[in-house]
Amino acid sequence: MNRLFMLALLATLLSGCASLSASSAWKDRPVGELIDFFGVPRQIMVAPAEDMVVLRYVRDSSYVSREAAGTYTGPQSGQLVHAEYWEDVQHSGSCEINVFVNRARLVQKVLTKGRCVAVEMAPAG
């Protein structure tokens, strides 16, 4: 139970790290640079309470890993053998990126949700 809790906590913290680093990388930069980097947003919304426009991007963060599928221990050709079987397992996931832009068309903050650790959030350098 504790192991499951720690795994959930780690995933939450890593997701927050992606959001924090993306927000600091894009803060007060022109929205044109962001669109050049991420492309056309999937959805454009208005956040009237904050007097900002929100650009929503969704990225696929699925991955495949090789995992143990089973074992066999028993006789084979007159000898006792132990065999392990491995297979590729698909782990699906997505990353939702919400970018808040003010009236001056400058990025104010970036919030992420989901599995965003593997998604590139800002240009290198």
Side-chain angles (χ1 to χ4, degrees), residues 77-92:
S77 301
Q79 294 184 350
L80 183 62
V81 296
H82 176 78
E84 295 181 348
Y85 302 98
W86 298 81
E87 63 183 34
D88 293 332
V89 178
Q90 174 76 28
H91 298 275
S92 61

Side-chain angles (χ1 to χ4, degrees), residues 25-109:
W26 288 108
K27 178 81 172 147
D28 293 328
R29 290 176 69 176
V31 72
E33 290 180 21
L34 180 111
I35 292 173
D36 287 343
F37 182 76
F38 282 114
V40 177
R42 177 174 282 189
Q43 188 177 8
I44 300 174
M45 303 166 291
V46 177
E50 299 182 31
D51 195 31
M52 292 189 200
V53 172
V54 181
L55 308 178
R56 177 170 289 163
Y57 295 91
V58 178
R59 296 289 188 260
D60 179 35
S61 59
S62 300
Y63 67 97
V64 176
S65 65
R66 191 127 181 102
E67 298 180 11
T71 61
Y72 169 76
T73 303
Q76 185 176 10
S77 301
Q79 294 184 350
L80 183 62
V81 296
H82 176 78
E84 295 181 348
Y85 302 98
W86 298 81
E87 63 183 34
D88 293 332
V89 178
Q90 174 76 28
H91 298 275
S92 61
S94 66
C95 172
E96 182 178 289
I97 306 162
N98 292 310
V99 181
F100 291 75
V101 180
N102 65 13
R103 287 188 180 269
R105 297 184 180 156
L106 299 176
V107 175
Q108 290 305 295
K109 63 182 173 181

Side-chain angles (χ1 to χ4, degrees), residues 4-18:
L4 182 63
F5 176 73
M6 292 303 289
L7 185 62
L9 181 62
L10 179 64
T12 303
L13 290 174
L14 287 175
S15 177
C17 290

